[in-house]
Amino acid sequence: MLYKQLSPEGQDGKGLCNLDFVDRYADILQANLPNKFSDFDRFFSGTQRLETLAAILKRHIQEDGLTVLNVGSGPFATELFVERLQKQQVQSIDYTPEFAPFYQLLLNEGYIANTSFEQVDVMEVEFPQKAFDLIIIHDVLFEKALEMETLITRLSPFLKPGGYLYFDFINSRTQWVKRLFGRHDQFRYYDPVKVKGFVTHAGFEILSFEATRKAHSWPIRVLHHALQILSRGSGNYSVLVQSKSRP
């Protein structure tokens, strides 16, 4: 497979790439997102939300030509801006039909040629056993409709022996602090201690378990700083684990 040559000017040296395309990507989102998603163009084009994922993969994934499953791709920002995915064979899935057109739009711009896409429900899709070297579940496990243990258990058979799994989640220990500040949401939360216990029991070795760096307006940054102090933990965690079953 031929991979797109990365522009040095578009890389941040920490794991992100194609940053010289961000403004054009934002324009594509703004022009093509349906009205019900129109407020999300800045969210999807904000590469700061990809920084922790990109940095973790840059530190731990050195091989090229890997098979990758990206769960809940949205409009393909992960495939577009994460450096370590540029020379992999990426299979992206998302159940939201409004995001599907962005696949062809980005192909037309000369990007994500190493990616294939299928609009499908992750709880129904099937792949061959041991098909992927890396599975990514980024910005997905906050959804009420998806439960971490159920989803990871379902996807694990598709992971090769010695394969990697990345996921992130919201820390349940910050909920009371959020309520103290009058913030309520419909997200799903998880206890970090229980998450560590689950992945270890499921046969994974934890390679990285760290606070997720996210960029927000200054009031939200103040809130997150307060969350860290009062709850003695991060509001969100990013995790990379590896199957203990080696090839």
Side-chain angles (χ1 to χ4, degrees):
M1 176 177 288
L2 295 176
Y3 301 106
K4 182 177 176 63
Q5 186 69 31
L6 295 179
S7 165
E9 294 79 13
Q11 297 175 264
D12 69 348
K14 300 176 182 179
L16 292 176
C17 65
N18 294 324
L19 296 177
D20 47 353
F21 187 69
V22 169
D23 289 343
R24 172 61 181 153
Y25 178 64
D27 290 341
I28 292 171
L29 291 175
Q30 191 171 31
N32 293 280
L33 278 173
N35 288 336
K36 68 177 182 178
F37 291 103
S38 59
D39 292 337
F40 287 88
D41 58 326
R42 290 185 180 181
F43 170 78
F44 288 126
S45 62
T47 56
Q48 299 90 342
R49 69 187 183 89
L50 297 170
E51 286 180 357
T52 307
L53 164 63
I56 288 175
L57 295 188
K58 188 175 179 68
R59 289 200 306 269
H60 292 280
I61 309 295
Q62 305 302 322
E63 306 95 327
D64 292 336
L66 301 180
T67 52
V68 179
L69 174 64
N70 185 31
V71 176
S73 63
F76 308 99
T78 301
E79 295 83 347
L80 181 56
F81 296 115
V82 174
E83 178 187 332
R84 287 306 303 141
L85 296 184
Q86 302 309 303
K87 294 185 178 181
Q88 319 299 355
Q89 300 175 49
V90 182
Q91 170 68 60
S92 297
I93 61 173
D94 200 298
Y95 69 89
T96 308
E98 290 84 356
F99 296 146
F102 290 94
Y103 178 65
Q104 189 60 51
L105 288 169
L106 292 174
L107 284 176
N108 293 344
E109 294 282 339
Y111 291 91
I112 68 169
N114 63 320
T115 299
S116 56
F117 172 69
E118 185 176 1
Q119 182 194 323
V120 67
D121 188 328
V122 67
M123 298 307 295
E124 297 178 359
V125 68
E126 293 293 339
F127 296 104
Q129 300 283 298
K130 304 176 182 179
F132 298 103
D133 298 289
L134 168 65
I135 296 177
I136 296 173
I137 310 172
H138 173 62
D139 270 356
V140 168
L141 290 173
F142 65 87
E143 294 189 20
K144 285 283 189 178
L146 295 173
E147 195 278 327
M148 178 188 293
E149 294 189 16
T150 302
L151 180 57
I152 290 178
T153 299
R154 186 176 195 283
L155 293 176
S156 292
F158 306 140
L159 191 64
K160 292 181 182 180
Y164 302 91
L165 169 68
Y166 170 92
F167 62 95
D168 41 44
F169 66 93
I170 308 175
N171 182 2
S172 64
R173 299 186 178 192
T174 64
Q175 278 184 289
W176 71 272
V177 185
K178 290 185 177 181
R179 294 191 182 109
L180 186 67
F181 280 80
R183 289 179 61 85
H184 303 276
D185 55 48
Q186 301 299 314
F187 298 149
R188 190 185 281 273
Y189 292 75
Y190 299 91
D191 186 316
V193 173
K194 292 181 179 179
V195 170
K196 289 179 180 180
F198 162 67
V199 294
T200 301
H201 182 73
F204 291 100
E205 176 185 357
I206 298 174
L207 302 181
S208 180
F209 199 108
E210 61 188 75
T212 305
R213 298 188 300 274
K214 290 180 178 287
H216 299 282
S217 62
W218 71 263
I220 301 301
R221 291 199 298 269
V222 170
L223 172 61
H224 281 209
H225 186 62
L227 290 174
Q228 288 183 306
I229 294 173
L230 294 173
S231 65
R232 298 183 179 181
S234 173
N236 300 69
Y237 283 100
S238 295
V239 185
L240 181 71
V241 299
Q242 185 176 24
S243 170
K244 291 181 180 179
S245 300
R246 297 294 188 262

